[in-house]
Amino acid sequence: MGNSIYSMIVGTGVGIPSRILTNKDFEKMVDTSDAWIKERTGIEERHIVEEGRYTSDLCAEAGLNALTDARLKPEDVDLIIVATVTGDVGFPSTACIVQEKMGAINAAAFDIAAACSGFLYGLSMGNAMIATEQAKTVLVIGGETLSRVTDYSDRGTCVLFGDGAGAAVLRPAEGNRGILGTYLKSDGRFGHLLHIPGLGTRYLPSHDTLDNHMHFIKMEGREVFKQAVMAMGDAAETILNRTGLTGDDVDLLIPHQANLRIIDATAKRVKIPPERVFVNVERYGNTSAASIPIAMDEARRGGKLQDGQTALLVAFGSGFTWASALVRF
Ligand code: ACO
């Protein structure tokens, strides 16, 4: 993409469920402790979707909040991209359901499935659609209800995940603000280390799939951890190299919020000190595709990311997929 800037983020918003599960709650459900969870992950609590609300509801709320922030209306949107691995139904896409819920009658809409990297895949796609003049106002949303696919009898995974949605509005760039570059990468050889085997067409629902909890997240935590540290470091370093910047040029690192130890390792790799790293994993757990847009919105509203400042966004997830973006706000 050279050094041209095509699109900029003009608004952000979130949709967060009000129910909260604390580490203490898990002590009553599985053999774990608040101390273990905090020490090994940094997580203290996570939000869980209310009965009767779905991924599309959280996404529509985030999308409408982002549009309000951008002083735009749903009718102004001409493309909705939803990144999710916990869509409402097999089809139609969650993006189409979100379009209907928002009243974004002039938009095209589609989903991206890249797990925790999904929002950055969506941001890259939205940027490309604006660069090629196929869209002017793009709503990129990352939203998940991981609680619906979490096995609350598996202590190795259940403490990690939470629900939520975050959104960003992209418009054609003005001045030197905008997306300076994006980097996407995948390695399908590692798919089996983090997956939901029983929610597609390979295994149709049966007593067997239910008895084996195949509709829930399965993860080899230790292996995923190792790969995540390497891939997040690679993504952070690559986008800096491509744009000719260093960690010193980054005002705020916003990494995918999965585990505090992975976040620390990523920051060290590109020599960004803790005071320039955004962390909210303690309050949300891992919300997959929603994690970066939720963090970005909190950073902006909390004054940690101001106009003119540069953020480095980095993610890693099932696939494996990993991605990064440099954005000047
Ligand atoms: N409470 C208490 N003990 C636990 C728990 C728990 N909740 N979970 C696991 N343990 C135990 C294990 O059983 C094991 O016991 P053993 O030694 O008797 O066998 C011990 O703790 C150590 O287990 P490890 O898996 O080695 O623990 P680790 O320090 O690696 O932490 C964790 C586990 C937190 C899951 C970590 O591996 C991790 O964060 N992995 C990466 C997850 C991730 O980042 N995913 C990102 C992508 S997510 C996406 O795409 C949706």
Side-chain angles (χ1 to χ4, degrees):
M1 280 218 158
N3 283 325
S4 306
I5 306 176
Y6 300 101
S7 74
M8 62 195 275
I9 293 175
V10 295
T12 57
V14 297
I16 308 291
S18 54
R19 265 178 73 193
I20 287 177
L21 263 186
T22 65
N23 289 353
K24 285 276 174 210
D25 295 325
F26 281 98
E27 291 181 353
K28 294 173 217 145
M29 295 157 65
V30 288
D31 181 12
T32 190
S33 68
D34 174 45
W36 190 94
I37 302 170
K38 263 196 230 154
E39 190 202 313
R40 304 310 291 165
T41 71
I43 302 167
E44 293 171 24
E45 57 185 40
R46 57 302 274 146
H47 292 254
I48 303 292
V49 75
E50 302 86 358
E51 273 305 315
R53 289 188 88 211
Y54 307 104
T55 297
S56 62
D57 295 306
L58 303 180
C59 288
E61 189 182 331
L64 288 170
N65 285 334
L67 287 174
T68 302
D69 187 37
R71 295 193 178 83
L72 292 168
K73 294 189 291 298
E75 306 87 275
D76 298 327
V77 177
D78 43 28
L79 178 62
I80 299 172
I81 302 174
V82 171
T84 187
V85 286
T86 48
D88 290 17
V89 291
F91 65 80
S93 70
T94 299
C96 283
I97 301 173
V98 169
Q99 171 187 28
E100 196 269 329
K101 286 186 173 166
M102 290 181 53
I105 50 171
N106 296 314
F110 64 87
D111 286 359
I112 285 183
C116 305
S117 311
F119 179 79
L120 293 187
Y121 272 64
L123 196 71
S124 180
M125 191 58 55
N127 185 42
M129 290 294 280
I130 289 176
T132 53
E133 298 182 1
Q134 296 182 77
K136 266 209 161 127
T137 303
V138 181
L139 188 54
V140 184
I141 309 174
E144 307 280 8
T145 50
L146 291 171
S147 66
R148 311 278 288 176
V149 292
T150 293
D151 185 346
Y152 286 100
S153 67
D154 174 13
R155 70 173 183 176
T157 56
C158 71
V159 301
L160 303 174
F161 301 112
D163 301 336
V169 183
L170 288 180
R171 290 274 302 162
E174 287 168 16
N176 66 356
R177 293 172 60 190
I179 296 178
L180 309 182
T182 61
Y183 166 68
L184 309 179
K185 192 86 196 311
S186 313
D187 191 338
R189 289 175 300 171
F190 295 104
H192 60 285
L193 295 176
L194 176 53
H195 63 151
I196 302 176
L199 277 188
T201 52
R202 186 182 297 174
Y203 303 103
L204 295 178
S206 68
H207 289 293
D208 210 36
T209 60
L210 284 175
D211 291 346
N212 290 307
H213 292 195
M214 287 168 68
H215 47 295
F216 290 138
I217 298 167
K218 309 269 186 200
M219 182 173 77
E220 301 289 335
R222 217 170 302 190
E223 270 315 300
V224 173
F225 186 93
K226 273 193 241 158
Q227 297 295 332
V229 167
M230 279 192 286
M232 295 264 292
D234 165 63
E237 220 166 67
T238 303
I239 195 65
L240 287 172
N241 289 341
R242 277 191 186 177
T243 49
L245 302 179
T246 71
D248 290 342
D249 302 306
V250 174
D251 295 296
L252 194 65
L253 171 64
I254 303 181
H256 171 48
Q257 308 283 317
N259 185 314
L260 196 52
R261 293 182 290 143
I262 300 174
I263 293 173
D264 289 345
T266 306
K268 277 205 185 95
R269 174 93 173 256
V270 284
K271 302 189 176 66
I272 296 178
E275 59 273 19
R276 286 194 276 125
V277 181
F278 190 83
V279 177
N280 65 5
V281 71
E282 72 282 0
R283 284 176 289 118
Y284 293 100
N286 180 349
T287 58
S288 190
S291 121
I292 286 184
I294 291 173
M296 198 164 69
D297 184 71
E298 280 199 346
R300 286 185 68 226
R301 286 173 205 278
K304 290 186 174 163
L305 188 55
Q306 306 196 351
D307 284 357
Q309 291 194 314
T310 301
L312 170 55
L313 319 178
V314 188
F316 171 83
S318 167
F320 288 154
T321 58
W322 58 105
S324 52
L326 264 170
V327 184
R328 191 177 297 127
F329 278 82

